[in-house]
């Protein structure tokens, strides 16, 4: 990688990690997916159950089969048909697992995590319920501040997620949010974690690559 690009990311990541730590989060840097997966497996050692929120990033680490091979009960609703009683039950169980794994739509250099979603199981799981939470974030999701985080939700995360779900929402054509009233709207809740939640240990793993949206 170009040395100046490398130096730029180092400044951004260092500042973000400091801000997260100042806000009570456990912030860690991982140079590779393997390193991140290893940290998750270590953290899960004393956990019987693990919930996986709606996250491409964490799944891209290959962590679901690894946890299953390690004998953990993994609640992964992406394996089930959306809206069925089994799928909704799986989402509920995520919120009471020993460990919850997720990503975030944006991470600010001022130390906040920002998410927007439709159902709420992901933001519930990362806030209260599971005593331990790991949030895996590719460096591409780091933005300067909360305004930029909302901008990222509206110009990147929302439209791409809508496209991935084959939704007939205006953003899949415009490429940015139209604050739609479509019945297929995916953006129903905006959640900002300003500080570590009172009763939850939250680790933010910053991955040194572009991953997820
Ligand atoms: S509110 Fe509607 S238009 Fe905006 S990103 Fe969400 S689904 Fe797309």
């Amino acid at each position: 990688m170009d040395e100046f690009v490398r130096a730029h990311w180092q400044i951004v990541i260092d500042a973000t990690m400091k801000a997260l730590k100042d806000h009570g989060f456990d912030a860690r840097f991982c140079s590779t997916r393997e390193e991140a997966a290893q940290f998750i497996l270590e953290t899960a050692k004393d956990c019987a159950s693990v919930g996986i929120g709606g996250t491409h990033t964490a799944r891209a680490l290959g962590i679901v089969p690894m946890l299953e091979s390690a004998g953990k009960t993994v609640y992964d609703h992406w394996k089930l048909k959306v809206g069925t009683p089994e799928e909704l039950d799986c989402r509920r169980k995520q919120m009471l697992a020993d460990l919850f794994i997720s990503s975030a739509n944006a991470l600010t250099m001022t130390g906040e995590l920002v998410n927007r979603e439709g159902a709420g199981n992901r933001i519930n799981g990362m806030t209260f319920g599971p005593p331990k939470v790991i949030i895996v974030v590719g460096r591409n999701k780091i933005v300067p501040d909360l305004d930029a985080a909302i901008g990222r939700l509206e110009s990147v995360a929302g439209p791409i997620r809508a496209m991935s779900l084959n939704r007939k929402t205006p953003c899949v054509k415009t490429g940015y949010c139209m604050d739609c009233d479509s019945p297929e709207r995916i953006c129903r809740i905006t959640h900002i974690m300003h500080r570590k939640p009172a009763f939850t240990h939250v680790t933010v793993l910053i991955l040194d690559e572009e991953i997820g949206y």
Side-chain angles (χ1 to χ4, degrees):
M1 188 191 302
D2 184 290
E3 63 178 299
F4 301 113
V5 175
R6 173 73 262 157
H8 165 76
W9 278 116
Q10 202 57 59
I11 291 166
V12 170
I13 290 169
D14 286 350
T16 306
M17 287 184 57
K18 179 180 183 317
L20 284 168
K21 287 176 183 169
D22 288 347
H23 288 179
F25 296 99
D26 173 28
R28 290 168 191 259
F29 173 76
C30 291
S31 5
T32 64
R33 295 183 188 198
E34 291 72 25
E35 205 181 304
Q38 198 50 47
F39 177 83
I40 293 172
L41 287 174
E42 280 294 319
T43 305
K45 259 188 176 161
D46 61 349
C47 299
S49 59
V50 182
I52 307 282
T55 159
H56 281 287
T57 304
R59 286 178 177 80
L61 306 179
I63 197 66
V64 173
M66 287 182 205
L67 288 165
E68 287 171 340
S69 297
K72 311 298 174 189
T73 299
V74 179
Y75 298 117
D76 177 7
H77 65 287
W78 281 16
K79 291 182 174 173
L80 302 166
K81 190 168 170 6
V82 178
T84 58
E86 295 76 22
E87 195 248 9
L88 296 178
D89 188 50
C90 182
R91 292 185 195 242
R92 286 188 196 97
K93 284 176 174 159
Q94 290 169 1
M95 295 186 278
L96 290 173
D98 299 321
L99 169 66
F100 186 74
I101 300 168
S102 182
S103 184
N105 295 130
L107 166 60
T108 70
M109 288 177 71
T110 45
E112 293 101 359
L113 291 144
V114 185
N115 283 285
R116 185 169 283 176
E117 65 179 75
N121 57 294
R122 183 175 59 142
I123 56 176
N124 286 349
M126 69 169 68
T127 306
F128 181 78
K132 291 194 280 191
V133 170
I134 299 175
I135 300 174
V136 190
V137 187
R139 67 183 191 196
N140 49 306
K141 294 185 177 177
I142 301 176
V143 294
D145 54 26
L146 283 175
D147 284 344
I150 298 300
R152 186 175 198 286
L153 303 189
E154 295 178 351
S155 62
V156 180
I160 297 178
R161 181 64 180 146
M163 198 178 279
S164 77
L165 293 170
N166 200 26
R167 296 294 171 101
K168 292 172 184 54
T169 51
C171 57
V172 302
K173 290 193 175 148
T174 60
Y176 54 89
C177 178
M178 303 295 286
D179 192 17
C180 69
D181 286 320
S182 165
E184 299 200 19
R185 174 174 172 137
I186 59 169
C187 311
R188 294 167 184 271
I189 312 156
T190 301
H191 179 264
I192 301 173
M193 213 183 268
H194 296 276
R195 298 289 189 276
K196 180 195 91 67
F199 302 110
T200 310
H201 184 275
V202 180
T203 299
V204 181
L205 289 186
I206 299 180
L207 194 50
D208 192 22
E209 66 168 284
E210 303 211 352
I211 181 171
Y213 50 81

